[in-house]
Amino acid sequence: MSPEPFDPAAGNTSATGGEPQAVHGSFALQADFSAPSARVFRAFAEASLRNRWFRLPGSSKTARHELDFRVGGGETASNVFVSGDVEEFLECRSRFIDILPDRRIVYVYEAHVDGLRRWVSLVTVELTARDGGARLDWTEQYSYLVLTGDGTQDTAHLRGGTRLLLNGLSTVVDPERYQGLLAKRPTDLAPEPGPLTVTP
């Protein structure tokens, strides 16, 4: 999912034309896996696995990623996104608040476009054993600091980007199940994994 070019002049302002006002909201998504919770958790915790599904839009040649998976540690990811003659520098900065192995991950992140902080989110990822596999519950509480127009497009992109992110996670955690589905419906199920942090 590609981000729209950001126009500072079209950003969110107060009713009186003063300082921008933050816009708050939340959403929740679920994903089911045939793999156990421990395998899903490892896809978050191990950089070699996380790099396979967590990425910002843009060329792999310009992508950067660092992961320090521990309470108090963090993650940084960046890339250069090019659409036509528009070039944007995307960056995500995270900090882990709570980690319960195989059960829960809580972190906060900032999403930046061309050095401007667009929004900040608190994310809770919960894993529960279910029917021989695992269920993932993703709850995100966001605060948009700079909006495009009234913000409707921003929040829709954030939710949609997160769903694509979970699709990408599924291809890593459940490769056998995914390949079986892909063989039946190759055009419908080809993923476009992308992080929830990428699409302002």
Side-chain angles (χ1 to χ4, degrees):
M1 188 174 277
S2 302
E4 295 292 330
F6 173 64
D7 178 5
N12 178 43
T13 58
S14 69
T16 59
E19 291 298 317
Q21 294 180 327
V23 173
H24 309 278
S26 64
F27 63 90
L29 297 172
Q30 289 184 332
D32 291 315
F33 304 93
S34 59
S37 297
R39 185 188 298 180
V40 181
F41 183 85
R42 283 198 302 273
F44 281 86
E46 297 179 12
S48 61
L49 294 176
R50 186 155 172 79
N51 278 332
R52 292 170 57 189
W53 63 273
F54 178 84
R55 55 186 173 181
L56 301 183
S59 169
S60 59
K61 295 180 181 179
T62 55
R64 299 290 182 269
H65 182 252
E66 295 181 5
L67 177 65
D68 180 12
F69 190 77
R70 59 185 175 85
V71 173
E75 180 177 40
T76 58
S78 64
N79 207 353
V80 177
F81 176 78
V82 179
S83 177
D85 59 355
V86 176
E87 181 177 290
E88 293 180 322
F89 180 71
L90 310 177
E91 186 176 24
C92 175
R93 306 172 189 169
S94 304
R95 183 166 63 90
F96 296 105
I97 305 299
D98 180 70
I99 297 174
L100 182 61
D102 304 339
R103 295 286 304 279
R104 183 175 66 236
I105 304 166
V106 181
Y107 66 96
V108 294
Y109 76 86
E110 304 176 16
H112 296 248
V113 179
D114 289 335
L116 180 67
R117 184 186 297 109
R118 295 291 303 276
W119 77 91
V120 179
S121 281
L122 169 67
V123 176
T124 302
V125 176
E126 297 174 287
L127 298 169
T128 307
R130 182 180 177 87
D131 299 330
R135 164 157 289 183
L136 180 150
D137 287 281
W138 180 292
T139 305
E140 180 157 354
Q141 299 163 283
Y142 57 81
S143 178
Y144 264 91
L145 308 177
V146 179
L147 295 174
T148 303
D150 64 1
T152 302
Q153 183 182 41
D154 294 322
T155 54
H157 276 297
L158 178 56
R159 184 185 179 97
T162 304
R163 175 50 67 190
L164 291 177
L165 175 73
L166 295 178
N167 289 348
L169 173 62
S170 181
T171 67
V172 173
V173 172
D174 275 338
E176 299 87 359
R177 183 174 74 169
Y178 179 78
Q179 289 170 1
L181 292 172
L182 187 61
K184 296 177 182 178
R185 299 174 59 194
T187 57
D188 292 346
L189 296 174
E192 292 183 67
L196 79 133
T197 59
V198 303
T199 314

